[in-house]
Amino acid sequence: MADGWEEDLEKALTWTESGQSVLKLNIRHLWLFGLWPLYESSAFQLYTVYVYILALWNVTECLLTVYFAWGYMDEVTLVIMSTASHLNGLIKMMFFHYDRRRYNALTRRVASLLSVQSDVCGRESPMAAIVDSSQRHAFRLTLSLLLFMFAQCFVWFPMPLYTHPETRRLPFAQHAWDNNSNLYGLSYFAQCAAGLWTTQISFGLDCLFASAMILVTAQLDILAGRILALKYDTYKEKVEHSEKRPMAKFGDKMYNDLCLCVESHQKILSFVNQLQDTMSPIAMSEFFFSVLVICLGLFQATFNEDFGAVFECASFLPIPCAHVFLYCWAANSVTVQAEGLSAAAYSCSWMEASERFKRAMRILISRAQKPLILTAGHLYPIDKKAFVSLVNASYSYYALLSQTNKR
């Protein structure tokens, strides 16, 4: 039965299902850029192949440029910077298609996650407000970051036409072997298209995981509120007193509600484990390439004498920082909110409760005290400290590169 249920979760997501999901914007954005198929179509498969060809073409051009420009520090580092961004997007695309069934399952599990405490949210408007706020937050964050990424196209793509109108220069990789004389128009289009598609797909996947973590944080917040509401006096007022066993009645009600909280906690933890398995390789790829891009971007903005290159790099530097911060902020919110369950449990009326209530509460507190930490590659913890350490690592590599350049 369990295997059949898992197979149903991993079935290809349909267009109708995507429209009913709280992650609708994330899913359909990835569909728009040729990554996430929402219906069986040979045309869409050809579209996906086209995206892969664009990305491979761009990476190949960049590697050839590095080979022919080797020895020119400014040119090589600028090309490696763009190569890292495009290669990051290409690797993420490959991870997605390798684990596509996990992404379908993750989307369906988000719906199950929201239904875990839907009864409570239906009865209590403050709880429902938390869910609505998290969904709006995830939508607005995704939309704003994707539009910000799209706005970079108007900086990078036309820049060679403004700064070097007298020469034929390309946005990312220059063809040193023929001085950009052959297939200039086609190369210009291919580089712009590849840059747009790979960066949108890369940021789209990051926003997908960040949105899922925002929803998890909201569910943990609701759970903390439910645990905190386990007050002896409150239940005493709700349950009618009888002459025989008034204590047992509201004591049983408190215990049963605590059991429901424990069950909700287990379901949330199960979802986080699935999210971890799906997100881990993508996050690791993002961290590695973002550190590299930040390092090279700082170097270009400091030492390149070409104003166009300096402006491009200075405007692009917030992008890799945003990638890293997005993961670290969202994952840290999950960790902090999970730790708050212990404080909520300790603050409820466990001292006046029955012995079995206390035993169940001890189990909940013990599990909640175990840090709920998401990792990149199942190795590197994702939290605020990780963001600081990654930025510091980028600056260290930049300082080393600067010393090498001065020699």
Side-chain angles (χ1 to χ4, degrees):
M1 292 293 292
D3 292 341
W5 182 70
E6 286 291 336
E7 290 178 1
D8 290 338
L9 285 176
E10 293 178 350
K11 286 181 179 178
L13 203 66
T14 65
W15 178 267
T16 303
E17 286 178 309
S18 70
Q20 298 170 349
S21 174
V22 295
L23 300 176
K24 173 183 176 180
L25 175 61
N26 305 89
I27 297 169
R28 290 192 173 178
H29 170 264
L30 294 172
W31 166 84
L32 178 64
F33 283 89
L35 186 66
W36 200 320
L38 297 178
Y39 48 81
E40 292 295 332
S41 171
S42 56
F44 189 86
Q45 293 176 357
L46 290 175
Y47 179 35
T48 304
V49 172
Y50 156 78
V51 175
Y52 270 103
I53 291 174
L54 277 179
L56 289 170
W57 182 335
N58 189 265
V59 171
T60 302
E61 275 189 322
C62 290
L63 293 177
L64 286 173
T65 300
V66 170
Y67 174 78
F68 281 97
W70 193 258
Y72 299 92
M73 181 71 79
D74 288 346
E75 184 70 24
V76 169
T77 52
L78 185 62
V79 175
I80 292 177
M81 178 182 171
S82 61
T83 306
S85 299
H86 300 314
L87 187 58
N88 184 26
L90 178 60
I91 290 174
K92 287 182 177 180
M93 291 165 58
M94 295 170 66
F95 275 129
F96 176 88
H97 282 104
Y98 179 75
D99 283 336
R100 191 168 66 187
R101 292 185 301 175
R102 280 188 175 180
Y103 285 83
N104 293 323
L106 179 67
T107 303
R108 292 190 173 96
R109 284 192 174 96
V110 166
S112 300
L113 174 72
L114 296 180
S115 67
V116 168
Q117 303 181 99
S118 57
D119 292 342
V120 178
C121 295
R123 295 193 306 267
E124 301 182 25
S125 56
M127 302 296 187
I130 294 175
V131 175
D132 293 339
S133 177
S134 67
Q135 293 179 13
R136 289 195 302 270
H137 189 188
F139 179 87
R140 292 170 181 171
L141 180 69
T142 299
L143 184 62
S144 59
L145 289 177
L146 292 176
L147 289 177
F148 175 64
M149 188 69 245
F150 181 73
Q152 290 293 312
C153 299
F154 300 97
V155 176
W156 278 78
F157 296 168
M159 188 59 68
L161 303 178
Y162 297 148
T163 57
H164 303 283
E166 71 286 352
T167 59
R168 298 159 66 99
R169 289 189 62 84
L170 296 168
F172 301 116
Q174 310 306 318
H175 296 178
W177 55 92
D178 64 0
N179 199 26
N180 297 335
S181 57
N182 296 322
L183 302 176
Y184 175 74
L186 179 61
S187 297
Y188 204 110
F189 168 79
Q191 288 190 14
C192 292
L196 172 62
W197 260 259
T198 55
T199 53
Q200 283 291 313
I201 288 173
S202 178
F203 230 143
L205 288 171
D206 295 340
C207 290
L208 174 71
F209 293 127
S211 297
M213 287 186 279
I214 289 172
L215 298 176
V216 170
T217 303
Q219 291 299 312
L220 290 169
D221 190 14
I222 293 171
L223 181 58
R226 290 172 60 192
I227 296 173
L228 191 60
L230 296 174
K231 299 291 186 181
Y232 181 86
D233 293 338
T234 304
Y235 279 83
K236 187 175 180 179
E237 293 174 0
K238 290 181 179 179
V239 179
E240 294 180 359
H241 292 273
S242 67
E243 295 181 357
K244 294 183 179 180
R245 297 178 63 192
M247 183 74 178
K249 288 186 176 180
F250 57 80
D252 289 344
K253 177 61 176 172
M254 281 183 64
Y255 177 75
N256 291 336
D257 285 352
L258 175 60
C259 290
L260 292 176
C261 290
V262 171
E263 183 180 352
S264 298
H265 189 213
Q266 291 173 340
K267 291 179 179 179
I268 293 172
L269 293 179
S270 176
F271 175 83
V272 172
N273 288 333
Q274 298 296 329
L275 175 63
Q276 165 71 59
D277 292 338
T278 308
M279 180 184 72
S280 183
I282 299 289
M284 194 66 183
S285 173
E286 183 57 55
F287 284 2
F288 173 79
F289 284 106
S290 291
V291 168
L292 179 61
V293 171
I294 293 172
C295 166
L296 297 176
L298 285 171
F299 177 82
Q300 286 290 325
T302 304
F303 294 101
N304 201 315
E305 297 180 357
D306 184 351
F307 172 77
V310 172
F311 183 74
E312 288 174 347
C313 294
S315 64
F316 188 73
L317 271 175
I319 300 297
C321 293
H323 277 288
V324 175
F325 182 77
L326 185 63
Y327 278 104
C328 294
W329 164 76
N332 188 77
S333 298
V334 173
T335 302
V336 172
Q337 193 61 59
E339 291 173 350
L341 294 180
S342 297
Y346 190 77
S347 300
C348 75
S349 298
W350 58 270
M351 288 183 290
E352 298 92 347
S354 62
E355 286 300 320
R356 63 174 182 170
F357 182 94
K358 293 177 181 178
R359 287 195 297 268
M361 185 59 76
R362 282 198 296 267
I363 295 173
L364 176 62
I365 292 176
S366 298
R367 180 60 187 88
Q369 286 179 337
K370 181 180 179 181
L372 185 59
I373 299 177
L374 292 163
T375 62
H378 295 285
L379 296 172
Y380 197 83
I382 307 176
D383 51 23
K384 288 184 178 179
K385 292 181 180 179
F387 176 74
V388 175
S389 65
L390 289 170
V391 172
N392 287 338
S394 298
Y395 184 80
S396 298
Y397 297 142
Y398 156 75
L400 179 62
L401 196 60
S402 301
Q403 291 296 326
T404 303
N405 183 59
K406 291 177 181 178
R407 292 178 180 177

